[in-house]
Amino acid sequence: MTILEFFLWSLLKVAVVTVVMLLGIAYTVLLERKLVGRIQNRWGPSRVGPFGLLQPLVDGAKSFLKEDLIPTAVYRPIYLLAPILSLGCALISIAVVPFGANMGPHGFDLFEISNINIGLLVILGVTSMGVYGIALAGWSSNNKYSLLGSLRSSAQLISYELALGLSLVGVVLRAGSLNLRVIVEQQATLGIATWNIFGGFQFLAFFIYLMAAFAETNRSPFDLPEAESELTGGYHTEYSSMKFAMFFMAEYGNMINVGCVATLLFLGGWTSPLGNLMPPLQSTLVNALLPIFWFVLKVFLFLCLYVWVRGTLPRFRYDQLMNFGWRFLLPLAIVNIVGTSLWLAYR
Amino acid sequence: MHLILFFLFAGFCLAGAINLLLQTHPINSALSLIVVMTSLAVLYLLLGAEFLAIAQIIVYAGAVMVLFTFVVMLLNAGREERTLGSRAASRVGFPAVVALFAVLSTILLRAQGLGSAHLGQGLTNAPGQSNLVLLSQVLFHELLLPFEVTSVLILIAILGAVALAHAEGSKTGGSERMAEK
Amino acid sequence: MSFLQHDVPLSWYLLLSAVLFSLGVIGFLIKRNLITVFMSIELMLNAVNLSFVAFAYQWHEVRGQIFVFFVMMVAAAEAAVGLAIIIAVFRARATLAVDRIDLMKL
């Protein structure tokens, strides 16, 4: 495979994955509105298209065509930079996520944009850069609600990043690698029984990851940065039209990223829940598409869990949030690491 | 390819560092420092240090610089005033910088036996061996004691930061303590 | 397509590190805001780290990279304490200009 072919194939992969990711973000919004609607005993969007399926496209067109207001007192360069930074960080992580078995022409990995040996750390690094979008948005808006929202959010993200990172250490210890493909393949043999969450005894880690992930993506019950009743809108109070939409897309993009990581690390990635118990199929097409089906299904179920929690639980208070993160999740994560390493050492 | 990437990111580095000096608002300086740090991470990657590259992003760009921007936002630091600066800096400092740079660059440019960096080559030439494995073997076998001592140092730093930020009553203590963590 | 295979001499990396270090020193001397002065110190640390990584590559020696790792950890601790000190100074003096925080000046 020459360099030019490699370049063209990679470009194709990037284009396809980006389009799918953006569509996924749009339809995650619809999923949330529909599910929350049902939880609250109403229909959710149902007028545009069959079952309201065209609603995300109409929403997108609306925010695109709205007048773009920039308040006079904002610090312009950073005010304009912040939403781009936020959305960019949300879209980059998908580049190292493998969503299918390693197959393609001439050993070219068709179902992952780049297969690198520090994939997990790259996701963590990109997540840690995402703080800037929110922090700078709040500061440059020159509005006290925005500033309070962004200060809350930065403190929350920094605090929960620790618990998030430490909860993943157990999985990494078990796999002995940071390559996401290796981590998934290590869970593949017996299906659901060897998934890290059950067979690997990482249930505690999954619980910590889930809590930290809710906080990392600013989702309910930890959605303090945009607590409407206290802060009008939090860090994006001064943003409108497409710039607001970019923050909105970044939030849902991060939800999908978190779902992808949970699927890869705890739920066996693209492998089937039956593992090797299911007889291998002959058709190449089915062998290529079935893993993608499992992967998408797992991420979809994870997103449904997200929405379910949002529709059910009330918001935490700020001091409760900090206490929960520092005094409960962090020690628990350390206990999990110690337990896992002892188990691995004396097995 | 290596040459292009080197020039691109070395250029970003230099531009960021010069912008750090030219900007008067601390938040702009902080942002240009983030640019310098992320492009340095790419340069580490070119030199086959992938773990350090991502540690640079997570630790420096993602944690240390967040603290900096946090403090700038919290203290609401405005534009700095241009003053003449101290006499010692202008009489001794600048000549010293020029001398330092001259000495360093002559030594580096005349140094014999420095090889050249080839893209895709890590520390070992053995295929398949990750830099990460090598790094952790040395770190957790030979250098275990320094590693543990550093972790104690960080613990002390956290306690010190909390004590310092909390010393003056509890006027605005809460959020700052969170920042220091 | 010969430029695709071209290697970069290590001395260029070292030179870049020297330039960054000098820029950091200049920043330390000319900047008048306490936080920006502190940032210049971080720039110097980063410049030194680059030369460590380049030398580690030259000698195929992983200890050079581990040194950078330790520098990063110590820098994180330093940043936490340093910023706490800056906050304490700001509380006491209500200014960040280094010209006004000169009680220890001769």
Side-chain angles (χ1 to χ4, degrees):
Chain A
M1 179 171 263
T2 64
I3 246 179
L4 192 68
E5 273 175 25
F6 179 80
F7 187 72
L8 287 176
W9 273 107
S10 303
L11 206 64
L12 184 72
K13 272 196 303 191
V14 170
V16 170
V17 170
T18 312
V19 168
V20 171
M21 180 79 177
L22 288 173
L23 276 178
I25 289 172
Y27 278 92
T28 310
V29 180
L30 182 70
L31 173 79
E32 168 159 27
R33 291 176 68 181
K34 279 287 210 189
L35 271 181
V36 170
R38 292 305 177 97
I39 287 170
Q40 295 165 350
N41 211 1
R42 55 188 172 83
W43 283 104
S46 60
R47 296 299 173 90
V48 191
F51 308 108
L53 278 177
L54 296 179
Q55 185 74 36
L57 306 179
V58 182
D59 283 345
K62 177 196 164 203
S63 57
F64 198 73
L65 295 174
K66 250 188 158 178
E67 188 189 353
D68 193 15
L69 289 171
I70 299 181
T72 41
V74 299
Y75 189 58
R76 247 182 112 95
I78 294 182
Y79 177 83
L80 297 178
L81 177 73
I84 300 171
L85 212 59
S86 216
L87 182 60
C89 287
L91 291 181
I92 284 175
S93 308
I94 200 78
V96 292
V97 170
F99 41 86
N102 189 354
M103 59 195 295
H106 323 296
F108 182 76
D109 199 343
L110 204 55
F111 296 119
E112 182 179 10
I113 289 181
S114 82
N115 182 4
I116 49 181
N117 59 356
I118 47 167
L120 185 58
L121 287 180
V122 168
I123 292 183
L124 288 181
V126 171
T127 317
S128 70
M129 292 297 282
V131 184
Y132 287 114
I134 292 171
L136 294 176
W139 181 80
S140 65
S141 293
N142 207 357
N143 172 332
K144 66 183 168 195
Y145 294 119
S146 301
L147 185 63
L148 283 174
S150 80
L151 283 180
R152 273 185 179 189
S153 159
S154 323
Q156 174 179 333
L157 291 187
I158 295 171
S159 309
Y160 277 79
E161 224 165 61
L162 288 175
L164 185 93
L166 288 180
S167 72
L168 303 182
V169 172
V171 174
V172 174
L173 280 176
R174 273 179 53 76
S177 170
L178 290 166
N179 187 331
L180 290 166
R181 278 205 181 281
V182 175
I183 292 177
V184 170
E185 273 150 17
Q186 175 254 341
Q187 316 172 36
T189 44
L190 289 175
I192 209 162
T194 44
W195 286 1
N196 270 331
I197 180 174
F198 301 120
F201 299 109
Q202 295 297 316
F203 187 76
L204 193 61
F206 183 70
F207 170 74
I208 300 164
Y209 177 78
L210 199 64
M211 294 297 117
F214 282 133
E216 278 285 300
T217 46
N218 292 333
R219 295 284 304 178
S220 178
F222 303 116
D223 58 343
L224 290 147
E226 41 185 311
E228 293 89 349
S229 45
E230 312 158 23
L231 292 175
T232 63
Y235 57 91
H236 49 54
T237 305
E238 296 288 355
Y239 283 87
S240 59
S241 77
M242 205 54 211
K243 292 200 282 296
F244 170 74
M246 283 165 98
F247 279 117
F248 203 65
M249 285 158 74
E251 183 179 327
Y252 286 85
N254 281 328
M255 272 169 70
I256 294 180
N257 289 334
V258 160
C260 288
V261 175
T263 306
L264 291 170
L265 262 57
F266 296 103
L267 305 177
W270 66 85
T271 56
S272 96
L274 298 173
N276 296 344
L277 300 177
M278 207 165 68
L281 298 160
Q282 296 306 315
S283 155
T284 324
L285 191 69
V286 173
N287 273 336
L289 292 184
L290 202 60
I292 297 184
F293 166 74
W294 287 122
F295 186 79
V296 171
L297 182 72
K298 286 168 185 172
V299 175
F300 175 78
L301 291 178
F302 192 85
L303 290 176
C304 289
L305 176 68
Y306 244 109
V307 177
W308 183 17
V309 169
R310 190 219 140 151
T312 321
L313 291 182
R315 188 180 293 137
F316 273 63
R317 226 171 44 224
Y318 191 67
D319 56 324
Q320 289 172 333
L321 171 94
M322 282 297 166
N323 278 340
F324 185 66
W326 286 103
R327 298 203 182 139
F328 183 68
L329 282 188
L330 200 63
L332 209 60
I334 292 171
V335 165
N336 178 59
I337 292 175
V338 173
T340 310
S341 29
L342 282 180
W343 184 63
L344 284 175
Y346 296 106
R347 188 168 41 165
Chain B
M1 204 66 185
H2 195 161
L3 200 66
I4 303 170
L5 287 173
F6 174 77
F7 274 123
L8 193 63
F9 286 96
F12 277 141
C13 257
L14 288 180
I18 291 170
N19 198 36
L20 170 81
L21 301 190
L22 295 181
Q23 292 292 341
T24 49
H25 202 292
I27 203 111
N28 291 345
S29 299
L31 287 180
S32 19
L33 192 53
I34 294 166
V35 171
V36 174
M37 283 168 174
T38 36
S39 14
L40 273 179
V42 178
L43 292 181
Y44 292 173
L45 207 56
L46 291 181
L47 287 171
E50 66 260 23
F51 177 71
L52 283 184
I54 204 68
Q56 167 97 357
I57 298 268
I58 294 178
V59 175
Y60 260 129
V64 173
M65 288 318 290
V66 168
L67 280 189
F68 271 94
T69 43
F70 211 95
V71 169
V72 171
M73 282 158 58
L74 208 62
L75 303 185
N76 208 4
R79 296 185 178 283
E80 66 179 13
E81 314 144 30
R82 290 280 184 203
T83 53
L84 289 173
S86 72
R87 240 176 301 149
S90 54
R91 293 215 183 130
V92 186
F94 293 114
V97 177
V98 173
L100 179 79
F101 180 66
V103 169
L104 275 178
S105 48
T106 16
I107 292 174
L108 292 176
L109 289 178
R110 291 180 62 190
Q112 299 295 314
L114 278 176
S116 55
H118 183 71
L119 193 61
Q121 192 187 351
L123 280 185
T124 51
N125 297 327
Q129 183 167 28
S130 168
N131 170 353
L132 213 61
V133 177
L134 217 64
L135 203 81
S136 46
Q137 269 165 3
V138 177
L139 188 62
F140 292 124
H141 287 145
E142 290 173 41
L143 300 173
L144 187 61
L145 184 67
F147 181 75
E148 295 296 337
V149 170
T150 319
S151 66
V152 174
L153 175 77
I154 288 181
L155 192 65
I156 295 171
I158 294 174
L159 293 179
V162 171
L164 271 172
H166 199 50
E168 305 264 323
S170 55
K171 254 190 312 182
T172 49
S175 55
E176 281 155 26
R177 259 183 302 144
M178 289 313 160
E180 295 319 312
K181 280 170 181 171
Chain C
M1 300 282 266
S2 68
F3 61 89
L4 283 180
Q5 272 84 41
H6 210 288
D7 287 351
V8 177
L10 269 180
S11 53
W12 292 9
Y13 279 102
L14 296 172
L15 200 62
L16 175 68
S17 130
V19 173
L20 286 179
F21 187 84
S22 310
L23 285 173
V25 179
I26 293 175
F28 184 82
L29 292 176
I30 67 167
K31 298 309 273 187
R32 300 263 67 94
N33 185 312
L34 202 50
I35 300 177
T36 330
V37 169
F38 199 26
M39 281 184 220
S40 310
I41 299 175
E42 295 291 331
L43 180 61
M44 285 191 260
L45 279 173
N46 271 281
V48 175
N49 280 354
L50 178 62
S51 65
F52 267 123
V53 175
F55 281 127
Y57 186 90
Q58 162 75 19
W59 299 110
H60 296 290
E61 180 54 74
V62 78
R63 281 168 192 78
Q65 297 192 358
I66 287 176
F67 216 101
V68 177
F69 184 65
F70 279 118
V71 170
M72 277 181 192
M73 289 203 283
V74 174
E78 172 226 356
V81 177
L83 289 171
I85 292 175
I86 288 179
I87 290 177
V89 166
F90 184 79
R91 277 207 201 123
R93 319 239 143 212
T95 180
L96 286 174
V98 282
D99 295 320
R100 308 235 182 91
I101 313 170
D102 54 0
L103 277 184
M104 284 167 76
K105 196 174 174 183
L106 284 174

